[in-house]
Amino acid sequence: MPSSKPAANRTTESALDMPSAGRALLLASRALRLRCPHCGEGHVLKSFNAVHDRCAECSFRYCRSDDDYFSGAMFFGMMIGETLAVLAIGAAIWITYPNVPWSFLQYAIPIVLLGVMIMLFPISRVVWLAIDVMLRPVEASELAASRE
């Protein structure tokens, strides 16, 4: 269902770009530090469940599209969380083999997976923003607007 809100701040129509390996590593390091993907200085997260509107340093607008912009972060949160959980489960099985505590793992796996997903929720937003900036470089219109 189309949104009834005006699309005045939408920048999803910007051109896609193939990033270099150096740029990808730079943006990954900024995402790991939870910093602005454009300048690397400003904090992206306001609190556990909130993202700043703009970077305090370069005035980059974090929400680059409509209200559902960070919906894509769910995919990366699930991907990162499930990868970490599978690696931890695999390590537990490998370490305890041949006497794998299956009954313990039966209850521990869902609890660990839920905990990892909750911990990665804010990080997934920063990762999504960094990937978006990597594929759709920042345009001047996203920086030129006055600070709100």
Side-chain angles (χ1 to χ4, degrees):
M1 175 179 256
S3 176
S4 60
K5 294 183 181 182
N9 290 333
R10 291 184 63 97
T11 58
T12 54
E13 292 78 21
S14 58
L16 294 175
D17 187 29
M18 186 64 172
S20 65
R23 178 153 172 78
L25 288 174
L26 175 68
L27 290 169
S29 72
R30 290 175 179 175
L32 287 174
R33 293 182 299 132
L34 305 178
R35 302 290 185 186
C36 172
H38 179 65
C39 69
E41 299 296 323
H43 293 277
V44 175
L45 300 175
K46 192 183 321 184
S47 65
F48 182 80
N49 194 26
V51 175
H52 287 287
D53 293 330
R54 293 186 172 273
C55 175
E57 302 298 321
C58 67
S59 193
F60 169 57
R61 186 179 65 242
Y62 291 138
C63 190
R64 301 182 79 191
S65 171
D66 54 14
D67 291 339
D68 298 326
Y69 173 71
F70 286 107
S71 296
M74 289 187 291
F75 169 75
F76 290 100
M78 292 286 290
M79 185 176 67
I80 294 167
E82 289 178 4
T83 301
L84 290 175
V86 165
L87 290 174
I89 293 164
I93 291 171
W94 187 53
I95 290 169
T96 61
Y97 189 79
N99 300 319
V100 180
W102 293 113
S103 58
F104 172 74
L105 290 177
Q106 174 181 348
Y107 297 104
I109 289 171
I111 293 169
V112 168
L113 191 55
L114 181 64
V116 167
M117 295 305 207
I118 291 170
M119 288 182 345
L120 289 177
F121 179 72
I123 296 168
S124 66
R125 290 178 173 204
V126 181
V127 169
W128 170 249
L129 183 61
I131 289 171
D132 188 35
V133 168
M134 180 173 55
L135 296 176
R136 292 185 314 119
V138 177
E139 295 181 345
S141 63
E142 296 175 277
L143 300 171
S146 65
R147 294 183 186 211
E148 297 171 10

